[in-house]
Amino acid sequence: MMKTLSSISSFAVSLLFEIMNIWNATSNFILLGLFNHTGAHLFLFVMVPTIAFSSLVGNALMILLIHQDARLHTPMYFLLSQLSLMDMMLVSTVVPKMAADYLTGQKSISPAGCGLQIFIFLTLGGGECFLLAAMSYDRYVAVCHPLRYPFLMSWQLCLRMAVGSWFLGAADGLMQAAATLSFPFCNTHEINHFFCEAPTLVHLACADTVVFEYVMYICCVLMLLVPFSLVLISYSLILAAVLEMRSREARKKAFATCSSHLSVVGLFYGAAVFIYMRPKSYRSANHDKIVSVFYTIFTPVLNPIIYGLRNSEVKGALRKCMSQCATLSHD
């Protein structure tokens, strides 16, 4: 047993040193970015930080309200707070670097910085895939089995789901970042993207990447299609239960809630599947950049609106918070 652990440790150390040697031998990458300096693109560029700032404020507000209001201390809102935290980190990983590159013209990024961006991005993106599946299970239990909710959605299970989401995302991020940057790269170090993303970086490799792409495809099936299937199954069961409701108003409200949730989930999973599961021969850099905007910038600003601010309990907590702030300001 000790010999096995020793050999695994030796292999991991040797692999790490090999990757570090490749990083040291590789010059910086150049991120070509999303916008040029025309008037129309300048307007679009201004919109991106504005949306990103709105996303940070909305998600930070969600975390604050869930933390402050005791009525929101439930598994559902705990998972929602984790989603908000992931969205804040996701926006912070991509947008500041993109904005700095556009404003300063310094578009270079080191191999280590590129690897770190891939790791953080995939940790958050992969974690969010599993977290959305956990949230859909929570809603299924709440709607279809309300009396058994404390048992079927206990705090212990909720914490395991949250920790599992972070862990599986981090494992995928670490594997793909290390594998992507272990390839030797050609003389062209220009990345036609606004951040380091594994599929785009693989195009620059001067080695056979077929095996890696096959493994990455399998990972995408596990990280994207399996959670998305669980989401669809959960909401299908919810809709089936909704159809049996006698109240027309209750059915209408439930349909509106489910459709809004599924639209955001579909936007996130659909964009991720488009980027990570298309064959290499069908890839277009411009299409990849546009689609990546949806799940790195637009989805994080929609989540607090769809999952939070349309919720009566969250709106009640917001009113309570605002009244407390108003009282403190008068004092």
Side-chain angles (χ1 to χ4, degrees), residues 22-33 107-111 114 181 183-193 195-196 200-201 203-206:
I22 293 172
W23 287 5
N24 292 331
T26 303
S27 59
N28 288 354
F29 296 105
I30 305 297
L31 292 169
L32 297 183
K107 299 184 177 182
S108 66
I109 183 170
S110 67
C114 199
L181 292 174
F183 291 115
F185 293 96
C186 302
N187 294 328
T188 302
H189 284 178
E190 292 184 344
I191 303 174
N192 195 4
H193 215 307
F195 69 98
C196 287
T200 307
L201 205 61
H203 290 175
L204 305 180
C206 288

Side-chain angles (χ1 to χ4, degrees), residues 47-125:
M47 292 297 295
V48 168
T50 302
I51 294 172
F53 179 74
S54 302
S55 173
L56 291 173
V57 171
N59 284 292
L61 181 60
M62 282 298 306
I63 294 173
L64 176 65
L65 292 175
I66 292 170
H67 180 266
Q68 292 293 329
D69 198 310
R71 293 174 299 177
L72 303 183
H73 293 175
T74 64
M76 169 188 169
Y77 291 109
F78 174 76
L79 294 175
L80 182 57
S81 71
Q82 296 301 298
L83 180 67
S84 293
L85 179 60
M86 287 181 178
D87 283 340
M88 289 179 66
M89 294 177 66
L90 185 63
V91 170
S92 301
T93 300
V94 175
V95 175
K97 172 64 177 170
M98 182 195 70
D101 288 351
Y102 183 82
L103 293 173
T104 64
Q106 301 293 326
K107 299 184 177 182
S108 66
I109 183 170
S110 67
C114 199
L116 183 62
Q117 196 172 52
I118 291 174
F119 168 69
I120 295 175
F121 175 78
L122 288 175
T123 296
L124 299 170

Side-chain angles (χ1 to χ4, degrees), residues 6 20 42 47 62 71 87 105 109 124 134 175-176 180 187 204 257 260 269 312 316:
S6 177
M20 290 178 68
L42 181 60
M47 292 297 295
M62 282 298 306
R71 293 174 299 177
D87 283 340
I109 183 170
L124 299 170
M175 183 196 69
Q176 289 205 39
T180 301
N187 294 328
L204 305 180
T257 302
S260 60
Y269 282 109
S312 59

Side-chain angles (χ1 to χ4, degrees), residues 157-177:
L157 177 60
C158 177
L159 292 173
R160 286 179 179 176
M161 285 180 169
V163 173
S165 298
W166 283 98
F167 176 78
L168 291 171
D172 180 59
L174 181 61
M175 183 196 69
Q176 289 205 39

Side-chain angles (χ1 to χ4, degrees), residues 3-314:
K3 289 183 179 180
T4 303
L5 291 174
S6 177
S7 61
I8 292 173
S9 300
S10 300
F11 174 76
V13 170
S14 62
L15 179 62
L16 180 61
F17 275 113
E18 183 180 347
I19 292 172
M20 290 178 68
N21 289 332
I22 293 172
W23 287 5
N24 292 331
T26 303
S27 59
N28 288 354
F29 296 105
I30 305 297
L31 292 169
L32 297 183
L34 184 62
F35 305 114
N36 55 39
H37 290 275
T38 62
H41 278 219
L42 181 60
F43 172 76
L44 292 174
F45 167 75
V46 172
M47 292 297 295
V48 168
T50 302
I51 294 172
F53 179 74
S54 302
S55 173
L56 291 173
V57 171
N59 284 292
L61 181 60
M62 282 298 306
I63 294 173
L64 176 65
L65 292 175
I66 292 170
H67 180 266
Q68 292 293 329
D69 198 310
R71 293 174 299 177
L72 303 183
H73 293 175
T74 64
M76 169 188 169
Y77 291 109
F78 174 76
L79 294 175
L80 182 57
S81 71
Q82 296 301 298
L83 180 67
S84 293
L85 179 60
M86 287 181 178
D87 283 340
M88 289 179 66
M89 294 177 66
L90 185 63
V91 170
S92 301
T93 300
V94 175
V95 175
K97 172 64 177 170
M98 182 195 70
D101 288 351
Y102 183 82
L103 293 173
T104 64
Q106 301 293 326
K107 299 184 177 182
S108 66
I109 183 170
S110 67
C114 199
L116 183 62
Q117 196 172 52
I118 291 174
F119 168 69
I120 295 175
F121 175 78
L122 288 175
T123 296
L124 299 170
E128 190 160 328
C129 288
F130 288 105
L131 193 65
L132 288 171
M135 292 173 67
S136 69
Y137 170 76
D138 172 82
R139 290 298 82 209
Y140 157 71
V141 174
V143 173
C144 299
H145 304 282
L147 298 179
R148 300 179 63 194
Y149 182 86
F151 174 74
L152 295 176
M153 194 61 192
S154 64
W155 271 108
Q156 187 179 19
L157 177 60
C158 177
L159 292 173
R160 286 179 179 176
M161 285 180 169
V163 173
S165 298
W166 283 98
F167 176 78
L168 291 171
D172 180 59
L174 181 61
M175 183 196 69
Q176 289 205 39
T180 301
L181 292 174
S182 66
F183 291 115
F185 293 96
C186 302
N187 294 328
T188 302
H189 284 178
E190 292 184 344
I191 303 174
N192 195 4
H193 215 307
F194 58 95
F195 69 98
C196 287
E197 196 166 30
T200 307
L201 205 61
V202 168
H203 290 175
L204 305 180
C206 288
D208 185 8
T209 61
V210 173
V211 174
F212 171 70
E213 290 182 43
Y214 181 72
V215 173
M216 190 166 67
Y217 185 85
I218 294 174
C219 287
C220 289
V221 170
L222 297 175
M223 301 289 290
L224 291 172
L225 296 187
V226 171
F228 186 50
S229 298
L230 294 175
V231 170
L232 291 180
I233 291 171
S234 296
Y235 277 102
S236 297
L237 294 173
I238 290 172
L239 289 175
V242 167
L243 290 173
E244 295 179 0
M245 292 181 177
R246 295 182 178 180
S247 171
R248 183 179 178 183
E249 192 65 29
R251 284 201 306 269
K252 185 178 179 181
K253 184 178 179 180
F255 271 122
T257 302
C258 289
S259 61
S260 60
H261 286 192
L262 283 174
S263 61
V264 175
V265 168
L267 181 65
F268 177 81
Y269 282 109
V273 168
F274 182 85
I275 294 295
Y276 284 91
M277 298 193 70
R278 271 185 311 158
K280 193 174 181 179
S281 57
Y282 289 92
R283 291 191 175 277
S284 166
N286 290 330
H287 290 165
D288 285 355
K289 286 192 285 188
I290 293 171
V291 173
S292 293
V293 169
F294 283 97
Y295 66 88
T296 57
I297 299 172
F298 287 143
T299 304
V301 79
L302 291 176
N303 282 337
I305 297 173
I306 299 298
Y307 288 104
L309 297 181
R310 293 186 62 184
N311 186 299
S312 59
E313 292 177 330
V314 174

